[in-house]
Amino acid sequence: MHELSLVHGLRETLHRLSDEHGGRKVARVEVAIGRLSCCVPTTFSFVFGAIKRDDPLISQAELVIEENDGDDVVLMRVELEVSDDV
Amino acid sequence: MCETCGCGGDASAGLQLEVNVSLMEENRRLARENRRIMENMGARSFNFMGSPGCGKTYLLEKSIAGLGNRFRVGVIEGDIETERDAQRIRAQGVPVVQLTTGGACHLNAALVRKGLEELKAHGGNRFDLIFIENVGNLVCPSDFDLGEEVKVALLSVPEGSDKPAKYPALFRRASLFLITKMDLLPHFDFSVEEAVSLAREINPKIEVLCLSAKTGQGMESWFQWLMHQ
């Protein structure tokens, strides 16, 4: 259930990163989910898919999830589309 | 610049960022602030986590009654809906704040911050003990640091002694494991030995107390543990 609050946190972070780096759109997001984090990867994907539809910055973003043995949920890498004239 | 030919056209270029930031970081930051706020209030703080019906509220009622006037106690109650638990605690004569999550299955540090501000408004700035009762749930609450000093895991006899193996995250993070409703032991196939050994497989340092808030069994050891924290 708390995948929703995690995805909201992810979206805020993506907006902040995009503002800082002059991003137009997020192309790809890599998230590492620990098996002891109580976060279910399929639910996380589902919620991300539902949230991104209404947000032009992330609507085209591809989400890649890697699982590990930790107890945290970590935003590893982001690929931004940036305008040339920035 | 266009990466293909170096022209100054308006083609987009990808920018790779190595971020490596936990999505829990905002909650952790607020939890660190809560920890400082509760320390400044002079309080030791405890986060009680366990399934719905494992006896969290009842244990708090009996603990407040048993500790008497020895300590200034404040309570923050977390539930999805209703003021019911706060009303039970209020009847014990201590300041209590009810937080309702409106659907979320756990408390988070931001909600507890709100609770602490309300607790101060009701009960003043000084407390010896702050009890935070989390939403009844054996899974999600353990993921969220609230700024508490001690995480307490509760498991009642009717739930079965295999639960520490099936719900490892809570038992891994808790420093105290309370086995509750010990008065029901004769009626259930619950093995205290199994529950303790499964919990210690996950968390060798976890302390264990067995009690029944109803009969009073083990309550004096629990009070001693609280006082020596």
Side-chain angles (χ1 to χ4, degrees):
Chain A
M1 190 109 153
H2 64 270
E3 284 82 359
L4 182 61
S5 37
L6 291 172
V7 170
H8 275 299
L10 171 62
R11 184 171 70 163
E12 279 167 35
T13 307
L14 292 173
H15 275 268
R16 183 174 54 75
L17 288 170
S18 178
D19 288 347
E20 284 171 12
H21 294 90
R24 291 190 305 120
K25 269 185 175 291
V26 176
R28 188 179 151 95
V29 184
E30 289 181 43
V31 175
I33 299 181
R35 286 184 191 89
L36 284 168
S37 71
C38 309
C39 172
V40 182
T42 50
T43 311
F44 189 93
S45 296
F46 173 79
V47 175
F48 185 78
I51 295 242
K52 78 177 191 178
R53 282 203 300 261
D54 298 324
D55 187 335
L57 181 76
I58 59 174
S59 59
Q60 305 295 316
E62 178 198 3
L63 173 66
V64 180
I65 293 176
E66 112 191 5
E67 290 184 63
N68 60 33
D69 289 329
D71 60 1
D72 206 347
V73 181
V74 179
L75 173 58
M76 303 296 289
R77 263 164 238 101
V78 175
E79 188 180 323
L80 291 176
E81 286 176 22
V82 291
S83 302
D84 267 352
D85 45 40
V86 170
Chain B
M1 294 278 278
C2 161
E3 280 177 13
T4 313
C5 62
C7 72
D10 59 4
S12 293
L15 174 64
Q16 295 273 355
L17 300 175
E18 292 290 327
V19 187
N20 220 356
V21 167
S22 169
L23 296 183
M24 306 296 286
E25 193 44 44
E26 177 64 8
N27 188 72
R28 285 188 193 135
R29 186 183 63 77
L30 289 167
R32 284 192 293 271
E33 289 180 14
N34 288 352
R35 192 161 284 127
R36 212 169 41 242
I37 289 169
M38 289 190 278
E39 277 169 14
N40 290 339
M41 293 164 90
R44 320 292 316 266
S45 51
F46 302 81
N47 178 5
F48 292 83
M49 291 173 278
S51 310
C54 71
K56 297 181 291 300
T57 314
Y58 192 60
L59 177 66
L60 291 188
E61 289 178 292
K62 293 294 178 182
S63 300
I64 293 162
L67 290 167
N69 297 324
R70 283 182 276 182
F71 298 98
R72 285 165 299 185
V73 178
V75 179
I76 294 177
E77 281 289 339
D79 275 298
I80 290 177
E81 291 293 348
T82 81
E83 277 264 333
R84 283 165 177 265
D85 282 0
Q87 285 164 3
R88 287 170 58 183
I89 299 295
R90 199 168 290 124
Q92 299 296 323
V94 299
V96 57
V97 173
Q98 177 79 52
L99 300 173
T100 47
T101 64
C105 51
H106 57 273
L107 289 175
N108 61 38
L111 266 173
V112 168
R113 167 69 51 82
K114 200 176 121 219
L116 287 171
E117 296 306 324
E118 276 185 54
L119 198 58
K120 280 185 183 179
H122 292 309
N125 278 322
R126 304 297 296 176
F127 287 93
D128 299 310
L129 302 170
I130 293 179
F131 295 146
I132 303 168
E133 181 183 338
N134 221 306
V135 178
N137 180 339
L138 211 49
V139 186
C140 311
S142 74
D143 239 13
F144 291 80
D145 187 5
L146 307 178
E148 77 281 19
E149 220 174 306
V150 181
K151 289 187 200 307
V152 182
L154 286 84
L155 177 69
S156 64
V157 164
E159 291 172 75
S161 38
D162 57 346
K163 294 304 172 289
K166 294 174 79 174
Y167 300 86
L170 173 58
F171 296 89
R172 183 158 171 258
R173 291 178 176 133
S175 34
L176 178 67
F177 174 17
L178 290 181
I179 301 178
T180 60
K181 306 192 187 180
M182 282 295 286
D183 53 301
L184 296 178
L185 202 57
H187 309 287
F188 288 88
D189 294 329
F190 185 99
S191 158
V192 172
E193 197 181 21
E194 182 190 29
V196 174
S197 77
L198 290 174
R200 293 222 164 111
E201 258 174 50
I202 301 157
N203 177 357
K205 285 187 293 191
I206 198 165
E207 292 184 68
V208 184
L209 292 173
C210 299
L211 54 82
S212 163
K214 187 162 192 165
T215 64
Q217 175 193 343
M219 289 296 279
E220 200 44 49
S221 310
W222 159 235
F223 295 152
Q224 290 299 322
W225 192 91
L226 266 181
M227 284 186 255
H228 291 106
Q229 271 305 297

